[in-house]
Structure formats: structure tokens, C-alpha cells
Amino acid sequence: MEVRLRTKFVVILVAITLVLSGTVHWTLESYKRDVVDDEQRRTDETASLVAEQIDETIWEHRDRIGLVASRPEARQFDRSGPFLDAFLDNSRFYSAQLVDANGTVVDFRGSVTAGTRRSVIGSDRSGTPYVERALRGETYVSDVEYAERADRPVLVFSAPILDGSGVRGVLVGAMYLDRQTIFDAIPPLETSSQTVTIVGDGVVLNENERTFDEGIESSSIVESTGWEVTVTRDRTLLADRLDRLAALQTLLLVIVVLVMVGFGYWQYAVSLRQTERLLDGFDRLGEGDYDSTVSLRGGAEWERMSDGFNELAATLRARESELRERRQRLDVLYRVLQHNIRNRMSIVLNYADLIADEAADETVVGAAETIHRTGRDITGLSRKARQMKNALEADPDRRPVDVASLAADAVAELREEYPDVTVTASLPDEAWAMALPSVRLAVENVCENACEHNDSDDPRVEIAVTATGPEPDVDRDPADENGGRVRIEVADNGPGIPEQDRAAIDEGRETALKHGSGLGLWLTYWVVDNSGGTLRFADNDPRGSIVIIDLPRSAPRRGDANAPEPSSRVDDRP
């Protein structure tokens, strides 16, 4: 018992530890996923924000060059110098050009050398995309170009100069791509734990040399140019924080488990030992030691259980003493009655025979025969009482019994003892059931009653044995019942079983109003019930009763020397 309780305690402790560990692990992993997802979402938002800000900046410069190109001064090519200087002073463009409607550069100002300026002025730029598109009336933003002299990427903007007759010329502005122009939103976003990289037209436009061992990336596209903005965040700090959290969770789990172990040991020392004492006491009661008592301490509940156990033991002790005394009285009464009934009824039957033989008066002869018949009935009751006692005190263990063989023997005895009764049988070769050995008496009693009390002009008794359910496996344990049933049906055309006898059997006890007329049915009921079977009654058509006995089906016990060998049976039912 102590080993079982300790094993249960260890199993429960391990189960709780596993559940707690699983819960902590799942919670930590769930938190990690949530934190990483939140960090990824913030990175996505940053990348999208940078792309939107760059796009807005490009549109601002595009709108600005378009606004300047729409001013009247832009059409006065003879005064282009002050116009272009004013434009450059109030913008972030580093150079600007005025191009005539035929594609010829009229003026070129800005951070350029004198030689470059002289070579550009008067040149034909009509074939360049930014001039060609502007001459068609569009405000244009070029792909990324590379200024070889400055070794920096450049973005060219162009806008048409219009007058009442159409396109008068083109205003062209060039702008370096750096953090003072297009990428002015980047500096606040680049920190020790975050970098921003921009790639456009195959050229790295902005790059941070800082790298991270582990990072979270997100990319977004600048809608107006198709540039890819990539934001990278350092995940090392996040990983360190999550590792510290995991270590803290593990420490807390260890503390909880240690507390549980301590509490469990205390509970075992205080409660489980008390339980062991109580269970040991019940074991002693089960073995018949009703003098045993237990003394439990550790709280009012344990003391109440201790008092309750001791009261139960005292009650059982008194009950056992009473039953033992009653059994002794019944045994003495049974032996006296059995001896006296047999002896006295033998004298009564002998004198009844003598009176019937010597008397001349028919009335006296009839009375003597009645006395003789009644005496035989009383003797039969005594015999059945003895059979009942022997059956109930016999081996209480169920075993495989060939019901078909028992029924065949009963049929043979009936045909010999009751020649005036037509006895038919429908029996299989064998039908094994799990029942008490005394089930033979139950079968014989039902068959005998069907013949003995049959008052029909043509008395008939039909006996049938059938097996239903799964076919038993001869290789398995015969006690392993498989759900099948073996049914014995005994049908007669006699007066039928009295209703008060049926009611008494159905209720399982005799009462003053429902008193059985004999012991035979009770013997049958007790044997069948203790065999795990059922006893039922039905009306036969057109007259008589059907007694139905259902027993659990079993595999045969071939190795049992007492088991009858299967015999060949024939169905002689008419």
C-alpha cells in the first residue's frame, strides 16, 4: 500500500511538473512570438514611412520645378541668368538649365565648372529623355544618373515652359541624392540599433556600414521611382531580453517545483500515512478482523474519520456476532426439522398405505390416499430444501459448464420418470456457459416441474438450448466472457406458473401477499442469479408456461477432466 501511494504521489508530482513546464514553455514561446511580431510590425511601419516620406519629397521637388517653370520670367530667355540663379538659391538643386523648344541649351548655371558650362550651352539635348518628355508637356523625373565628377548619384527633374502658343522651352534641374536633399528623413531613423538602405536602378543610394549579428528586416517601395527601402533593426538586444526572461521563468519554475516537492513531502508525511493506516484498517475489516481500530491525528477531519471507522468496526462486530448466533440457531433448527420430517413422514406414509389397504369404506380409502399424496409433497419439500442448502453451500466459483449435456441428461431422466409426458428436445452438440456447478439442479428442477404439474390430457414438454453472440475462442481463458449468451427454454402445456410465484421471483423476496408455493423456483432463481444469468417467464400458446434461463456464454474447458466430452445430439422436436 505504501509503495502504491508513494508511486501515485511521484506520478502526480511528475505530471504537475510536466504541465507547469509545458505551460511556462508555451507562455514564453507565445510571448517571444508576440514580441518578435511586434518588432517586425514596427520595422514594417518604419520602412513604409521612409518610402512614403521619400516619395513625398520627390513630389515636392517635382511640383516646385513645375511651379518655377510656369512663372513669366522662365519665358524670358534673354534674362535667364538672374532667373536660374534665383531658382538655385531657393532650392536644393545644384544645377539648372534652360532649353529652347528646339532642344538647344540656352543657359546653364550652378555648381559646375566654366568648361562644363561652355560645353553644354548651345548643345542639342532634344534626344535626352528629360528634355524630350518635357517638350511633350510632362513634368518628368529621370532615373538615377551618376555624376562622374562628383562621384555621386544624381536625379534630374524637368518641366515644360509654356506660353499661349504651346511649349516655349524646358526648365531642367539636377539634384544630388543625399541626406540634405531627397533623403532628409533618414538621419533621425538611423541609430545604433537601426539602419536604412536604399537601392534604386541598380545603384545603392544610401547605405549604412553598421551590421548586426542578428537583425529584423523589412522592405518597402518608393511608389514614384520604384526604389527599394530596407530597414534593418538589431535583434541582439531583443534576444538578450528574451533570454533573460527565459532564465527568470526557468528559475521561477524550479522554485515552484521545489515548493511543491516540499509541500508534497509534508502532505505525504501527514496525510498519506494517515490514509495508509485507514486503508490497512479496512483491509483488516475485509479479512474479518472486526476488533481492529485506528487512531488518526492531524486535524478534526482525520479524527472524525477515525471515530467513524471505529464505529463501523463495532457495528460489524456486533452484526457478525448476531449473524453467527442466528446461523447456529438455523443450523440446529434445520437438522431437527430435516430429521423429524423424514422420520415422522415415513410413519405417516406407512400408516396411510396400511389404511388404504385395510379399509373397506371408499371414503376412508380416499382420505388415506390424500394423506399419502400430501405426505409425499412434504417429503419433496424437505428434499428440495436439502438440495437448496447443498447448492448454496457448494463451490461458489463459476466455471465452464456444457448446458447441452446437462439438458440431454435431464431429458433422458424425464422420459424415464414421466412416460406419460411427451418430452421433445432441440439441443446442439455442445453449448458452454459460465455458471455454478449447481446449475444442473436448476435445469433439472425446471424440467421436472414442467412434467410433474402438467394436468393436460396430452401433456407435452419442449426443451431447447441455443447459443447466441460471438463464437467462443477455445484458445483463450474460459472465464473471459465474450458477450454471448446460452439460453435454455422449457415450455409446457400445463396450468402455467401461478402469478404469485412469478411476482415473488421478480421481486426477489416473498411477502405476505405474494407467497411462493414451493422452493423449486427459488432454488432455480438463486442458482441462475449467482451464475450471472437471468430467469424469466412467458406464457405459452395456447396454454402453459415458458421458463427462460439466460447464462453467459463461455469457451469450453477441454483440459478439465470433469468436463463432459461433446456428444452428438439430434433435434427431435416434432
Side-chain angles (χ1 to χ4, degrees):
M1 178 63 69
E2 183 178 356
V3 175
R4 291 202 303 268
L5 292 175
R6 186 180 294 113
T7 301
K8 290 181 180 179
F9 169 73
V10 172
V11 170
I12 292 174
L13 180 62
V14 170
I16 294 176
T17 303
L18 291 177
V19 171
L20 285 177
S21 301
T23 303
V24 170
H25 177 74
W26 179 84
T27 303
L28 182 60
E29 291 300 318
S30 178
Y31 177 75
K32 285 182 179 180
R33 287 194 299 270
D34 291 342
V35 170
V36 172
D37 291 344
D38 183 64
E39 196 71 12
Q40 184 66 56
R41 182 169 55 255
R42 291 171 56 191
T43 307
D44 293 342
E45 292 175 354
T46 301
S48 178
L49 177 63
V50 172
E52 290 177 359
Q53 290 178 337
I54 293 175
D55 193 58
E56 290 177 1
T57 301
I58 291 175
W59 276 96
E60 288 176 3
H61 292 302
R62 181 177 178 277
D63 292 341
R64 180 171 182 77
I65 196 171
L67 177 63
V68 172
S70 66
R71 294 176 180 175
E73 307 91 272
R75 297 191 293 271
Q76 299 174 7
F77 291 170
D78 55 344
R79 299 181 59 190
S80 60
F83 170 74
L84 292 179
D85 290 338
F87 170 61
L88 292 174
D89 291 339
N90 293 285
S91 69
R92 295 182 180 180
F93 291 95
Y94 75 90
S95 68
Q97 300 177 18
L98 276 178
V99 181
D100 199 353
N102 59 8
T104 302
V105 178
V106 177
D107 199 355
F108 184 24
R109 297 295 179 99
S111 298
V112 295
T113 62
T116 301
R117 184 172 182 273
R118 285 193 299 269
S119 64
V120 172
I121 295 176
S123 63
D124 184 7
R125 300 288 179 171
S126 60
T128 59
Y130 55 86
V131 173
E132 182 181 358
R133 298 283 290 275
L135 290 176
R136 292 206 301 261
E138 301 178 21
T139 300
Y140 176 73
V141 180
S142 72
D143 294 335
V144 176
E145 298 182 5
Y146 212 81
E148 295 181 0
R149 183 181 64 83
D151 194 24
R152 297 168 67 184
V154 174
L155 196 64
V156 178
F157 295 79
S158 62
I161 301 173
L162 304 175
D163 60 10
S165 61
V167 178
R168 177 79 166 74
V170 175
L171 174 61
V172 179
M175 180 181 294
Y176 290 123
L177 294 178
D178 54 30
R179 300 187 180 190
Q180 283 73 42
T181 57
I182 301 298
F183 304 144
D184 55 348
I186 293 178
L189 298 177
E190 287 208 318
T191 64
S192 60
S193 60
Q194 179 173 277
T195 62
V196 180
T197 303
I198 302 174
V199 177
D201 301 325
V203 178
V204 178
L205 306 180
N206 183 83
E207 184 177 21
N208 193 311
E209 295 181 355
R210 183 181 294 109
T211 59
F212 307 118
D213 295 335
E214 186 178 3
I216 299 176
E217 284 190 357
S218 180
S219 298
S220 186
I221 301 300
V222 179
E223 185 177 354
S224 60
T225 61
W227 299 343
E228 183 180 36
V229 178
T230 301
V231 177
T232 303
R233 287 194 178 188
D234 186 8
R235 192 178 174 181
T236 305
L237 297 178
L238 176 63
D240 292 342
R241 186 176 66 178
L242 293 176
D243 291 341
R244 288 195 299 272
L245 177 61
L248 178 61
Q249 292 277 31
T250 303
L251 178 62
L252 291 176
L253 178 61
V254 171
I255 293 174
V256 170
V257 171
L258 291 177
V259 170
M260 287 180 56
V261 170
F263 174 77
Y265 179 78
W266 173 82
Q267 185 70 15
Y268 173 79
V270 175
S271 300
L272 295 186
R273 292 188 185 277
Q274 303 279 58
T275 304
E276 288 179 11
R277 296 192 188 101
L278 186 60
L279 293 177
D280 288 341
F282 279 116
D283 289 340
R284 291 194 297 272
L285 286 182
E287 294 170 357
D289 182 10
Y290 302 118
D291 293 326
S292 64
T293 59
V294 296
S295 177
L296 305 178
R297 297 292 183 266
E301 295 81 2
W302 288 109
E303 292 178 0
R304 285 199 297 270
M305 283 190 284
S306 176
D307 295 340
F309 177 88
N310 294 332
E311 291 176 4
L312 175 62
T315 301
L316 291 175
R317 185 165 55 250
R319 181 64 173 169
E320 177 66 16
S321 177
E322 180 183 348
L323 289 176
R324 187 163 48 247
E325 183 179 351
R326 180 179 298 179
R327 189 179 302 112
Q328 290 174 349
R329 292 197 300 265
L330 289 176
D331 287 342
V332 171
L333 180 61
Y334 173 78
R335 287 195 299 270
V336 171
L337 288 178
Q338 281 288 99
H339 181 268
N340 291 341
I341 286 176
R342 286 200 306 270
N343 292 342
R344 298 298 186 270
M345 288 310 302
S346 295
I347 297 174
V348 171
L349 291 175
N350 290 334
Y351 275 106
D353 291 338
L354 180 62
I355 292 172
D357 292 338
E358 299 295 333
D361 189 345
E362 293 295 330
T363 303
V364 175
V365 173
E369 291 178 349
T370 300
I371 293 173
H372 189 277
R373 184 169 56 253
T374 304
R376 287 184 58 189
D377 290 341
I378 295 175
T379 303
L381 285 175
S382 176
R383 176 174 54 84
K384 288 184 178 179
R386 184 172 63 254
Q387 290 178 345
M388 182 180 297
K389 182 176 183 298
N390 294 336
L392 297 178
E393 293 179 353
D395 187 358
D397 296 330
R398 294 189 291 165
R399 64 188 62 180
V401 177
D402 186 3
V403 177
S405 178
L406 299 183
D409 294 341
V411 169
E413 293 176 2
L414 292 177
R415 287 173 175 170
E416 181 177 352
E417 187 174 353
Y418 300 95
D420 297 333
V421 179
T422 302
V423 180
T424 59
S426 176
L427 308 177
D429 290 342
E430 58 181 18
W432 290 85
M434 184 63 64
L436 297 177
S438 54
V439 74
R440 172 187 295 272
L441 292 177
V443 175
E444 291 176 351
N445 182 73
V446 171
C447 296
E448 182 180 349
N449 285 343
C451 294
E452 182 178 353
H453 301 291
N454 198 321
D455 58 357
S456 174
D457 294 337
D458 180 21
R460 304 180 65 85
V461 174
E462 299 179 3
I463 302 172
V465 175
T466 56
T468 61
E471 186 72 19
D473 184 359
V474 296
D475 294 328
R476 65 177 173 83
D477 185 356
D480 183 15
E481 299 169 10
N482 57 3
R485 309 293 285 180
V486 173
R487 171 167 294 184
I488 307 105
E489 294 187 20
V490 180
D492 64 71
N493 61 346
I497 298 175
E499 185 61 33
Q500 65 268 24
D501 287 357
R502 294 191 187 187
I505 294 297
D506 290 339
E507 292 187 7
R509 61 188 179 90
E510 288 194 292
T511 65
L513 298 178
K514 299 176 181 178
H515 180 72
S517 59
L519 299 178
L521 286 179
W522 284 108
L523 172 62
T524 302
Y525 169 75
W526 285 327
V527 171
V528 171
D529 185 64
N530 290 335
S531 297
T534 58
L535 174 65
R536 296 187 294 113
F537 306 100
D539 293 328
N540 200 6
D541 187 21
R543 185 174 185 266
S545 298
I546 303 176
V547 180
I548 304 170
I549 299 174
D550 281 324
L551 297 171
R553 191 174 182 182
S554 170
R557 182 178 293 175
R558 297 300 185 194
D560 190 348
N562 297 323
E565 293 297 327
S567 58
S568 177
R569 315 241 191 268
V570 295
D571 186 352
D572 59 357
R573 185 185 294 261

